[in-house]
């Protein structure tokens, strides 16, 4: 399936949770399958921290497909013969949707840190404009990790539109530990001398800081067991210690590689804005409690967690389920046994396919 | 108890595992209590990553006691009425024992990265010189975290001298995940522009990198539950988000503070050398298996782990116990229920006191 990214620009100013507003917001998006006449077969996929609009298929000339290609396509979990599948790059991102690397029309220069700090609520507000523009009348929302947070936000903010919510390897709020990891990553970026207050677009980029942030992130995406299975204590390309401060172990080489490739594809400012939005995410805050938050929603929920995910552990998904059940909502929950840690949501597609396809078919 | 740090200089060259050698090694140490005539009531305390020789009592004018004062003194776990307690700063450290911040007598300048990469075996070899100098004939070795690694190394390398081994919140080898955390910390230091190849002693220090390393470390010393209990999602000195990239949450403030105070008391090069020694530590490697490693040791072992320690989880202590039991060694094991994570070895002193005092009394 050859696909291409399309662009839609929101003309109106969007009021943000911070009290600031933003205009002229370009949104990068892709669609797979066709919207039916009633406009009720749409599924919005919501990407994780560093994802983009390219969820499935191949861009012309590319050898690698979109980030959730295992799950999106004919006869896959999100079956494009049946559904109109949409994915957009999030507000604050760096893959075609307005973010800190976009040109501020008022200054003619990149926003940098003058870009407003955003929330998951703001991200969803922008997505809503796209969904209206596409003529969607009923919507399923689905996402893993931060994508799951957006799915929950959709259910609360646009209750009348959303009939199904799929939340995978996600949470209704970050723990102190998860905030701590994000804080370390942001510190590494902010303290890189090339960061220059966020104005690095025409000079050297804060690659070292961003790479360290990514390394920390990757430790949290895997888990103790996954790292052990993958690397154990094997030395990289040798059998004995080097007795210097180069790379000794395979796991060091893996992290260094992940850091290196990341800086070529991601913007450090976007990393700051997106992790901050994630830190702020807390469903209960506005409503007083998690139970109160879901009181008036009418959607059906599917919550999936993974046994070895320690970033957003199953206990958090269960807390979410309890709040939904307290409100007598229609909720299905599945904890998938997996040794893959948080990354499982991108890897364990076969088990997820069965569960999701069945959930989407259910009345 | 007013105490002071003493110094002993090893005249002989010490052959290191790397194949290099090191001469003129000054060792900073403290002692509490008195060595008996037979020389068999000595206990060597082995400090963790960033510890020093000052385990107990007060230095003149100080308001805070040594790092294990809760455990060392009259009627405490390590009872100074009964035992001659010794603690020394480790080789490679920066608190008075020879390390990368020491002056290389051959150049008249700080070693920096010309200091040889060391192992836990090298560290113990230097301690042995001190123990001989002090006239000790029989020795108990005890330590938490990296201190426990040294205790194990002592049991293997100086079997004839060691009659009791106390290993707390430690492991016989780091997991891939623990190596990964150390690698991130080292990267942050190595990539700080002030690091200057380790030659920063007469200019600005790589404080930003070292602070980030310490922040990462602190996340691993606490645990999910401990961080949640301590900070939850509370904002620092306010009730609402700041919508900027300053400190929002208490947990961010805590980490920033830990980073800040650490750079004033620790040397970045020492951090590199010590974490590398810890990464290399793997008891089984030299012997082929963990079981084989302990075959000929004659000491009694006490292994203590903490239920919420995820840096060196109980499973690793149990593995160690199994290898000792396989060899029919005298081993006691206790997993202490604690919500404090890895840090528990410094905090849960009351439970440890009972267990350790009883172990030391046993024949």
């Amino acid at each position: 399936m050859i696909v291409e990214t399309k662009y839609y620009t929101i003309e109106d100013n969007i009021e943000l949770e911070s009290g600031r507003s933003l205009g002229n917001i370009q949104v990068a998006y892709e669609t797979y399958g066709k919207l039916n006449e009633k406009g009720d077969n749409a599924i919005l996929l919501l990407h994780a921290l560093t994802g983009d609009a390219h969820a499935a298929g191949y861009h012309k000339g590319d050898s690698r497909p979109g980030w959730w290609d295992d799950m999106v396509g004919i006869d896959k979990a999100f079956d494009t013969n049946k559904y109109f599948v949409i994915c957009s790059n999030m507000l604050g991102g760096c893959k075609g949707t307005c973010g800190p690397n976009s040109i501020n029309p008022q200054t003619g220069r990149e926003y940098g840190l003058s870009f407003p700090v955003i929330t998951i609520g703001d991200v969803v507000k922008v997505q809503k404009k796209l969904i209206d523009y596409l003529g969607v009348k009923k919507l399923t929302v689905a996402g893993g990790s931060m994508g799951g947070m957006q799915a929950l936000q959709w259910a609360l903010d646009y209750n009348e539109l959303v009939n199904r919510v799929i939340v995978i390897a996600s949470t209704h709020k970050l723990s102190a530990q998860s905030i701590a990891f994000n804080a370390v990553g942001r510190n590494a970026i902010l303290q890189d001398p090339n960061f220059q207050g966020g104005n690095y677009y025409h000079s050297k980029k804060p690659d070292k800081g961003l790479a360290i942030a990514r390394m920390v992130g990757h430790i949290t995406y895997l888990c103790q067991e996954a790292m052990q299975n993958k690397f154990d204590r094997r030395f990289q390309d040798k059998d004995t210690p080097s007795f210097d401060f180069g790379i000794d172990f395979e796991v060091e080489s893996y992290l260094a590689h992940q850091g290196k490739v990341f800086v070529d594809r991601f913007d450090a400012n976007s990393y700051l804005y997106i992790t901050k939005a994630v830190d702020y995410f807390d469903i209960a805050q506005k409503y007083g409690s998690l139970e109160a938050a879901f009181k008036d929603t009418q959607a059906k929920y599917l919550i999936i967690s993974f046994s070895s995910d320690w970033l957003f552990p199953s206990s958090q998904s269960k807390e979410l389920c309890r709040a939904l059940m307290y409100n007598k909502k229609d909720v299905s929950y599945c904890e998938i046994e997996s040794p893959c840690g948080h990354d499982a949501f991108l890897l364990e597609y076969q088990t997820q396919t069965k569960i999701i396809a069945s959930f989407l078919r259910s009345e």
Side-chain angles (χ1 to χ4, degrees), chain A residues 125-176:
Chain A
K125 204 172 196 177
V126 166
Q127 288 161 352
K128 172 66 163 54
K129 294 281 181 188
L130 172 69
I131 293 305
D132 287 345
Y133 162 75
L134 293 173
V136 170
K137 304 298 177 207
K138 279 290 169 196
L139 186 66
T140 292
V141 287
S145 195
M146 188 186 68
M149 299 179 195
Q150 294 166 60
L152 289 169
Q153 190 77 48
W154 260 99
L156 299 182
D157 292 357
Y158 303 105
N159 179 34
E160 69 292 349
L161 193 63
V162 176
N163 54 4
R164 279 191 178 80
V165 181
I166 302 175
V167 178
I168 307 169
S170 190
T171 181
H172 55 92
K173 65 175 179 190
L174 259 61
S175 67

Side-chain angles (χ1 to χ4, degrees), chain A residues 60-288:
Chain A
K60 211 170 177 177
D62 275 6
S63 58
R64 293 183 62 177
W67 58 270
W68 227 8
D69 191 71
D70 286 328
M71 298 280 280
V72 183
I74 295 165
D75 290 336
K76 295 184 184 177
F78 302 102
D79 188 339
T80 48
N81 269 348
K82 292 181 186 166
Y83 305 109
F84 177 57
V85 180
I86 308 155
C87 186
S88 69
N89 184 216
M90 71 183 284
L91 178 68
C94 52
K95 302 299 180 75
T97 291
C98 184
N101 71 347
S102 301
I103 300 297
N104 178 348
Q106 286 171 4
T107 64
R109 300 184 53 191
E110 292 87 358
Y111 281 102
L113 290 194
S114 75
F115 194 78
V117 169
I118 53 163
T119 66
I120 297 295
D122 297 330
V123 169
V124 165
K125 204 172 196 177
V126 166
Q127 288 161 352
K128 172 66 163 54
K129 294 281 181 188
L130 172 69
I131 293 305
D132 287 345
Y133 162 75
L134 293 173
V136 170
K137 304 298 177 207
K138 279 290 169 196
L139 186 66
T140 292
V141 287
S145 195
M146 188 186 68
M149 299 179 195
Q150 294 166 60
L152 289 169
Q153 190 77 48
W154 260 99
L156 299 182
D157 292 357
Y158 303 105
N159 179 34
E160 69 292 349
L161 193 63
V162 176
N163 54 4
R164 279 191 178 80
V165 181
I166 302 175
V167 178
I168 307 169
S170 190
T171 181
H172 55 92
K173 65 175 179 190
L174 259 61
S175 67
Q177 191 186 62
S178 297
I179 294 173
F181 280 120
N182 281 344
V184 169
R186 282 196 301 270
N187 258 279
I189 293 167
L190 292 166
Q191 296 187 357
D192 186 314
N194 291 335
F195 182 67
Q196 302 283 358
N199 300 314
Y200 52 75
Y201 292 108
H202 303 280
S203 54
K204 280 188 182 171
K205 297 184 299 166
D207 285 348
K208 290 177 178 174
L210 182 59
I212 287 172
R214 184 62 167 175
M215 291 167 78
V216 174
H218 264 275
I219 299 177
T220 68
Y221 306 152
L222 293 175
C223 63
Q224 180 86 259
E225 186 186 354
M227 278 210 158
Q228 206 57 27
N229 292 343
K230 215 175 166 96
F231 310 110
D232 197 357
R233 294 178 50 84
R234 279 191 304 278
F235 287 107
Q236 177 73 18
D237 301 331
K238 59 188 174 185
D239 299 316
T240 51
S242 64
F243 291 107
D244 62 29
F245 295 108
I247 283 170
D248 264 304
F249 294 95
E250 276 185 15
V251 65
E252 292 180 275
S253 172
Y254 169 82
L255 289 182
H257 175 76
Q258 294 298 336
K260 193 167 175 297
V261 297
F262 187 60
V263 301
D264 291 333
R265 73 172 182 85
F266 212 78
D267 178 46
N269 279 328
S270 274
Y271 199 88
L272 297 180
Y273 280 88
I274 296 173
T275 56
K276 193 51 119 171
V278 166
D279 284 0
Y280 284 165
F281 183 71
D282 182 357
I283 284 284
Q285 204 175 28
K286 187 174 149 191
Y287 298 88

